Each structure stands twice: as C-alpha cells, then as structure tokens.
Amino acid sequence: FHDCEPVSAGGAWNTLPDEVTERLGADCDVVVRFGFGLLKGDILTAPEYGVISSHGSDIRRYRGMGPRITFLNGDRTADVTLQRLTEDIDGGKVITMSSRRLPDRPTIDEVFGRIYDLKTRIFAGGIDRLRQPDFEYIEPESLGEYYAHSRLEKSPVFAGRVVLKNNLRRLRRIGPRRVGDVHRGW
C-alpha cells in the first residue's frame, strides 16, 4: 500500500507526484486504484500492467455515474467492469466484467450493495487473468452514454427522482397496514 495525495490536473482529473509514479513503476507490476477521481499521466503506464480500477456498471451501457443510473433505469442486473485505466473516462481496456441479478424493485441501497459485493470479488480474478500468458483485453464494440457525476449530483431533478423512486419502493415493502401501525406509534 502506498498512500499519497493526488495532484490536481484540472476538473475531476488527478495525477500522482513524479516520485510516487517512479516508485510504483519500479516496485509494482500493477497498481490498484481506489479513489482519486479521474487519473491520468505517466502512472497509467509506469507499472507493467498499468493501473486497474473497477467501475460500478458495464461500460458498454453506462459510464460515469453507473449505480444510480442502473437504479433509475430499472435494470435487472448490477454490473461491474474491471479495467486498465486510460485517459478515456470509463473507457479503459476491459480485463473482466461481472454481473449479478437484482431483486425485483430494488432500493438504491440494494443496487449499491450488489455492486460493492461484485467489486470486492472482481479484483483477484482480474489480476489472475492479467497474468495468464494468453490474456487478451476485452474490446467493447462501443461505450455507453456518459453520465457526469458533477452535472447530475447537483441536479435537484435527478436527486428528486432517485429519492422519490427509492422511498416509493421502501413504502411498498412496508405495506399499508405497517405504515399505519408505524404512524400510530409516533
């Protein structure tokens, strides 16, 4: 593990300090990225297998804000893409993908829960896959629409849609009798 402060490269983009990039390139075959927003620069090619990161959707369908779009669109599965990062937003070289069925009418927490579960499982298999002598990246024919975090997270309409749909699903699970029982208990 190597904790460091990213260097802002404008907007959501970050780079790593030169000394960190050199050290990681010399000491690591692959770097696993957690956090830092969007990453660019020499770090992406310094280690033999680059920098890998998971994305909370199938990048052939959604890039950017994956889980919330999965929820709003009523998708039947939660998907995760493990990719070798490039300077394309969620357009890296695909190492592997994983998918898991969602329950009927999931809440936003259930969507995120399935995605986090997939993300915790995908790294070990992805690194093993990278090390195979016959490994080839998955080349998507096209990339999905890009949903910008910065634009959507600040949108009252977007936030309202997520909150309303989530709360309606929660209320339906409680049912009319339990809602009344809860209300009388206040």
Side-chain angles (χ1 to χ4, degrees):
F1 290 92
H2 186 77
D3 292 324
C4 70
E5 288 293 319
V7 177
S8 177
W13 291 99
N14 294 287
T15 62
L16 297 185
D18 290 341
E19 63 276 5
V20 172
T21 297
E22 290 170 15
R23 180 175 170 200
L24 293 174
D27 294 348
C28 302
D29 293 332
V30 64
V31 170
V32 178
R33 176 203 152 272
F34 292 101
F36 288 30
L38 299 172
L39 191 60
K40 68 190 233 177
D42 292 339
I43 187 60
L44 298 178
T45 56
E48 180 180 354
Y49 298 106
V51 178
I52 65 173
S53 181
S54 63
H55 175 66
S57 72
D58 178 339
I59 63 172
R60 297 171 299 183
R61 296 185 68 207
Y62 310 128
R63 296 178 307 127
M65 193 183 291
R68 290 172 192 88
I69 303 302
T70 294
F71 172 72
L72 284 177
N73 286 348
D75 293 347
R76 306 297 295 154
T77 60
D79 305 300
V80 171
T81 302
L82 184 64
Q83 60 186 320
R84 179 177 177 169
L85 295 180
T86 65
E87 291 190 9
D88 296 326
I89 299 174
D90 295 330
K93 297 177 177 182
V94 177
I95 299 164
T96 190
M97 294 186 214
S98 188
S99 182
R100 191 163 171 211
R101 186 155 178 77
L102 289 167
D104 289 338
R105 296 184 199 95
T107 63
I108 191 80
D109 290 340
E110 288 170 326
V111 172
F112 271 102
R114 294 282 163 91
I115 287 172
Y116 289 144
D117 183 52
L118 289 169
K119 282 184 171 190
T120 60
R121 298 168 189 261
I122 202 168
F123 280 99
I127 289 172
D128 284 344
R129 191 177 146 108
L130 273 175
R131 297 179 55 182
Q132 298 300 316
D134 60 345
F135 170 75
E136 290 185 27
Y137 290 101
I138 299 166
E139 298 288 339
E141 290 181 22
S142 63
L143 296 175
E145 185 174 344
Y146 176 62
Y147 295 89
H149 287 265
S150 59
R151 183 175 56 99
L152 292 175
E153 286 179 339
K154 295 175 184 173
S155 165
V157 172
F158 179 80
R161 287 180 59 213
V162 171
V163 169
L164 180 62
K165 184 172 186 172
N166 194 55
N167 286 339
L168 285 172
R169 287 187 172 179
R170 287 173 175 232
L171 286 172
R172 283 187 183 128
R173 287 188 182 166
I174 292 172
R177 177 175 283 165
R178 287 197 54 207
V179 170
D181 292 343
V182 170
H183 179 69
R184 282 189 290 279
W186 286 350

